[in-house]
Amino acid sequence: MKISLFEFDKDFYNKGLQFVSGVDEAGRGPLAGPVVAAAVILHKDIFIDGVNDSKKLTEKKRKVLFEEIKQKAFSYGIGIVDAKTIDEINILQATFLAMRKALEQLSVKPDLVLVDGNHTIPNLQNKQQAIVSGDAKSACIACASILAKVTRDNMMYEYAKQYPQYNFEKHKGYGTKAHIEAIEKYGPCPIHRMTFAPLNSKQLELL
């Protein structure tokens, strides 16, 4: 039987740890907008109904859980790195930076940081463990994925008001056909990642 996400986390607490934080990000792949990371520490006996990998949830369900997680988490933090910085240091380093920023906002130092994916975070003082597909295994990582995703989506809705010609509210900055056509028609805007293809191509330099 598949163990629940909360049982997965409880196993770490049963080993004597006091604070376990999950960390995840949203927005590594888009052509525009920030990369956002979240860190979440849950009480060891908590259960939040419906928590799952953010990609498996509807937008409506994510928004409901977003508020519930913020209310019920022992502590949480959100780190944001903008497109300009992504271009300067590359998306992987920007993701790590966003994760470190999120962890710095926690009210306590975690005994263990569970990081979604196959990379641990460089230059981090905490003990950490990479969990492949962690947002489908660990409750605190899943909660972090929801906070990161909803925070980033909300930012993209605001950018859509600033730059309505790109329809960021529909694709959240990802490289859809409609988004690429809008870039070709209007050129890039200040939140586009100029080191990402096709924005870094010679054709767009002529725009």
Side-chain angles (χ1 to χ4, degrees):
M1 188 179 85
K2 183 179 182 291
I3 65 169
S4 77
L5 280 69
F6 291 90
E7 289 296 324
F8 182 91
D9 289 6
K10 193 173 284 188
D11 191 48
F12 291 102
Y13 287 109
N14 290 340
K15 293 173 181 174
L17 299 180
Q18 192 173 3
F19 300 113
V20 177
S21 174
V23 181
D24 200 3
E25 53 71 33
R28 280 185 66 168
L31 305 181
V35 61
V36 177
V40 176
I41 297 174
L42 300 172
H43 294 278
K44 66 177 180 179
D45 294 320
I46 198 170
F47 177 77
I48 303 173
D49 190 35
V51 163
N52 203 338
D53 173 3
S54 65
K55 295 183 287 296
K56 296 177 182 174
L57 301 170
T58 64
E59 183 170 10
K60 184 178 178 182
K61 181 64 174 173
R62 282 196 299 267
K63 286 182 176 179
V64 170
L65 286 168
F66 178 78
E67 297 302 332
E68 189 173 358
I69 292 162
K70 289 197 298 178
Q71 182 184 344
K72 293 183 176 178
F74 178 83
S75 184
Y76 71 90
I78 293 170
I80 299 166
V81 175
D82 63 20
K84 183 174 181 290
T85 306
I86 292 169
D87 283 340
E88 288 170 357
I89 65 175
N90 80 47
I91 186 59
L92 181 60
Q93 296 309 316
T95 300
F96 290 144
L97 176 58
M99 289 178 168
R100 287 193 293 269
K101 284 185 171 188
L103 286 161
E104 285 168 6
Q105 292 179 27
L106 295 174
S107 59
V108 295
K109 184 177 178 180
D111 303 304
L112 178 65
V113 176
L114 302 178
V115 187
D116 183 59
N118 56 4
H119 293 284
T120 52
I121 305 166
N123 307 314
L124 192 70
Q125 301 306 311
N126 312 70
K127 184 179 179 185
Q128 55 181 323
Q129 184 174 332
I131 309 284
V132 175
S133 301
D135 46 8
K137 296 174 183 174
S138 160
C140 61
I141 294 178
C143 287
S145 79
I146 292 165
L147 293 194
K149 172 70 174 161
V150 175
T151 299
R152 187 180 188 280
D153 283 357
N154 289 342
M155 292 181 72
M156 295 310 293
Y157 286 128
E158 290 304 310
Y159 283 129
K161 296 174 187 175
Q162 277 184 265
Y163 310 106
Q165 65 270 40
Y166 300 100
N167 296 311
F168 288 133
E169 73 281 3
K170 293 182 178 177
H171 50 68
K172 313 299 189 295
Y174 282 86
T176 63
K177 183 172 182 286
H179 185 193
I180 291 169
E181 286 173 354
I183 294 168
E184 289 169 349
K185 183 175 181 180
Y186 300 108
C189 76
I191 69 160
H192 277 106
R193 303 174 182 180
M194 298 308 296
T195 53
F196 279 46
L199 286 153
N200 59 358
S201 69
K202 293 294 182 186
Q203 294 92 314
L204 279 171
E205 289 176 13
L206 302 174
L207 291 170

